Amino acid sequence: MKKKICLIVISILAVFGISFGIGYKFSGNNKENKTTINKDNNKELENNNKEAEQEEKKESEEQSIINNESEDVQQNKTDVTPETNNTKESETKKEESKKTTKVEVTKKDTKKNTKTEKSKKENKQTTKTEETKKTETNNTKVETSKEENKQITTPEQPKEEKKEEKKEEPKKEETPKEENTTPVKTIVSEENVTEESSEPVKYGVVLKTTTVYKVTTYSDNSVDKKLIKTSKNYDKKGFKASTNDMKGDAQKALSNNKGIYQEVVSYVNKYRKEVGAPDIVLDNNLSLAATIRAIELAYSNNGTSLSHTRPNGKICFTVLNELGIRYSTAGENLAYGHNSANAAANAWYKSSGHKSNMQNSDFKKIGIGMYEFNGTKYWVQIFTD
């Protein structure tokens, strides 16, 4: 740097020295002096331009040099005599042209430098960003590989189970096993045993209950008794009851069954119209007699058959005499097992003997009786003139 500055100063001094010499000769011959000055000046300008192009690469140094040159020019102007004003003016113009050329060159170089610096900065930034991305990707890969290596290299260590201290339990004293002293139980006998019991019901009828057990006897004389079956049966062989004995039950049944009795009569009158016989009339005394007869049948009949002979061996119409009912002709229809008035009337209608009694125009009065015993209904019709 010092050498360059010295060269510039020497060149400037040489210029000014030439001007001083030229000014001294100018008074003798003007044309010759002008031509020499122009040639010398052109050479110096070329040299200065070359030096300026080399030195103007660095902005800060060239600007300081230009400032120093301008200061030296101003100092030299003060030392010039008034005789050399014309030469000074030409020289100042040349110097100013030098400065302008230098300044233009410096501006161009500064523009180039700024552009190159900007491009360099941008390239640096792009390279930095690319390098950072690469480093980040490499770091992530390295981290993932490290984690994978950790997973591969570090096997799962089994959790240490806490060892529970086993407390020694106190030994139980072994009790001596008791020997089975009881004898083996064996079956001695098995048999079915039937037990019968009887219970009086009414009018000499007895309810007999028969129970069958399985009895097992063992070797230790113990007995096991298991129920097999139970059956109940009414024994009606001992039936013994008079009309007066049954009169109370008959009156209760009569009052309870009035609607049923009237229904049966309606069916009978329907059948009588078929033959042109007049309607028959329901009589209360005859219904009492018919109900007594229904009670006799219920307690005395074993379900084999129905009979018009009473349990005491007398004819059925004796019940009318015992109740004080007068008649010249009479008839009786019997039925059992029918659950309704319609069913009982229809059963009588299908039987020729029973149908003829219902359609007989000689009968003017009718008595109806119904009594239920042990789930079976017994039906009775008594006709009189």
Side-chain angles (χ1 to χ4, degrees), residues 146-163:
K146 283 180 182 179
E147 289 178 356
E148 289 175 355
N149 290 324
K150 281 181 183 180
Q151 291 178 357
I152 293 163
T153 53
T154 57
E156 291 182 356
Q157 294 179 355
K159 292 181 181 178
E160 292 182 358
E161 294 181 355
K162 291 182 180 180
K163 293 181 180 179

Side-chain angles (χ1 to χ4, degrees), residues 111-127:
K111 285 180 183 180
K112 288 179 183 179
N113 291 325
T114 52
K115 285 180 181 180
T116 53
E117 285 176 359
K118 284 181 182 179
S119 62
K120 284 179 183 179
K121 286 179 182 179
E122 288 175 356
N123 291 322
K124 283 181 182 180
Q125 288 177 356
T126 53
T127 52

Side-chain angles (χ1 to χ4, degrees), residues 2 27 60 70 76 78 133 138 169 180 203 206 242 253 261 273 287-288 352 367 380:
K2 288 178 181 181
S27 61
S60 62
S70 62
N76 289 322
T78 55
K133 286 179 181 179
N138 290 323
E169 294 180 355
N180 290 325
Y203 308 131
V206 177
S242 65
Y261 294 171
K273 285 178 182 179
S287 293
L288 181 61
S352 59
V380 176

Side-chain angles (χ1 to χ4, degrees), residues 29 75 83 153 173 198 263 270 277 323 347:
N29 193 2
Q75 288 176 1
E83 291 178 355
T153 53
E173 294 181 358
S198 59
E263 187 178 355
K270 181 181 176 181
L323 291 173

Side-chain angles (χ1 to χ4, degrees), residues 340-352:
S340 66
N342 184 21
N346 191 35
W348 284 321
Y349 182 76
K350 289 179 181 179
S351 172
S352 59

